[in-house]
């Protein structure tokens, strides 16, 4: 009898440990679903499109809010009290052109009222089985019955044609937005980069680390002329445009991560016409 109880206790302990490990694993960055870039050879008619919001990715596990790199965030109770008891993913977003404000709010390690200027714009239900249509339907049903002033499900629009998608992209860009996310509504959730979710922009973007400040000349004499940056693959190149006067006076520090945009690649592998977009202040989140 004692042996049997000890065996049951052992199994219960192992099960609890496995549950804890699986819960932590579910928040690891490598398990999150991430988009590929859209190219014109792909057939996306019948897929769904939504605006790509320029914010900070948030993961609500049913009890707590985390960043994409598994850092616990600290919203006030008012912000989270109407969130569902199941996991959802979304973008913490303050509005177009307010990325830096969003980062400043979510990086603080104590709850504060700044969170109440944000929205958790939900785009998936990662622990739910089934298609994207079924998963997002669960979130829509929840918020229909439990509306929150600080969270909503991002509207999804069925794509009628490539022209329809391009017209929506133009509308978003003209209103100050970044681009589109298009999804296969019949796809399951999968870890890592997925071909069933694509980002659509007028340009490509990527990240690099600042290696050196290159001095300017002419009107930029005495301040930044260009950044020498290094990609993850070790390739270095210069970015000399896209900076405001304030950024040339006080450029991103050596070692910091920046985002740049470009328009395809040369045969050498270097990006065409790289332009500075911003410092990636949320690189550690």
């Amino acid at each position: 009898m004692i042996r049997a109880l000890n065996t049951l206790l052992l199994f219960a302990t192992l099960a609890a440990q496995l549950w804890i490990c699986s819960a932590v694993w579910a928040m690891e960055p490598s398990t999150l679903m991430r988009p590929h870039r859209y190219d014109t050879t792909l057939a996306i008619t019948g897929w769904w499109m939504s605006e790509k919001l320029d914010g900070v990715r948030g993961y609500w596990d049913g009890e707590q809010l985390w960043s994409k790199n598994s850092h616990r965030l600290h919203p006030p109770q008012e912000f989270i009290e109407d969130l569902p008891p199941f996991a959802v993913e979304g973008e913490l977003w303050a509005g177009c052109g307010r990325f830096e404000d969003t980062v400043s709010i979510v990086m603080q390690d104590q709850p504060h009222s700044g969170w109440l200027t944000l929205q958790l714009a939900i785009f998936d239900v990662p622990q739910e089985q089934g298609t994207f249509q079924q998963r997002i339907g669960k979130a829509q049903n929840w918020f229909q019955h439990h509306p929150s002033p600080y969270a909503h499900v991002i509207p999804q629009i069925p794509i009628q044609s490539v022209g329809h998608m391009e017209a929506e992209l133009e509308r978003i860009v003209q209103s100050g937005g970044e681009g589109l996310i298009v999804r296969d509504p019949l796809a399951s959730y999968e870890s890592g980069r997925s071909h069933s979710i694509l980002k659509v922009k007028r340009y490509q973007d990527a990240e690099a680390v600042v290696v050196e400040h290159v001095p300017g000349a002419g009107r930029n004499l005495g301040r930044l002329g260009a950044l020498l940056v290094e990609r993850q693959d070790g390739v270095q190149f210069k970015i000399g445009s896209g900076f405001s006067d304030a950024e040339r006076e006080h450029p991103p520090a050596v070692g910091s991560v920046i985002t740049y945009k470009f328009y395809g690649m040369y045969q050498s592998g270097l990006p065409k016409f790289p332009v500075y977009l911003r410092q990636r202040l949320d690189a550690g989140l």
Side-chain angles (χ1 to χ4, degrees), residues 33-47:
M33 191 172 181
R34 294 175 292 159
H36 279 285
R37 280 195 289 265
Y38 167 76
D39 70 68
T40 56
T41 65
L42 300 172
I44 43 76
T45 299
W47 286 29

Side-chain angles (χ1 to χ4, degrees), residues 2 24 27 35 73 94 99 121 133 141 157 166-167 174 196 208 215 224 243 247 249 271:
I2 294 175
V24 173
M27 294 181 293
L73 305 179
F99 174 77
Q133 183 175 4
N141 183 65
I157 304 170
E166 290 178 344
Q174 289 299 321
S196 65
L224 180 73
F243 304 100
E247 287 164 337
E249 295 288 348

Side-chain angles (χ1 to χ4, degrees), residues 28-36 57 89 123-124 126 132 135 183-184 187-198:
E28 285 297 311
S30 61
T31 73
L32 298 178
M33 191 172 181
R34 294 175 292 159
H36 279 285
R57 190 168 184 168
E89 281 185 275
F123 52 67
D124 215 328
F132 172 67
R135 297 195 308 275
R183 296 171 178 265
D184 180 354
S188 300
Y189 195 95
E190 57 182 307
S191 301
R193 297 229 176 253
S194 170
H195 289 285
S196 65
I197 174 173
L198 309 169

Side-chain angles (χ1 to χ4, degrees), residues 216-263:
R219 69 177 297 271
N220 291 322
L221 185 64
R223 58 182 188 170
L224 180 73
L227 292 177
L228 179 66
V229 301
E230 182 173 303
R231 292 192 314 219
Q232 191 173 19
D233 61 4
V235 172
Q236 295 186 356
F237 56 94
K238 292 179 182 178
I239 300 175
S241 61
F243 304 100
S244 67
D245 285 341
E247 287 164 337
R248 289 193 184 278
E249 295 288 348
H250 303 284
V254 171
S256 63
V257 179
I258 62 102
T259 301
Y260 64 96
K261 65 180 180 179
F262 60 103
Y263 300 85

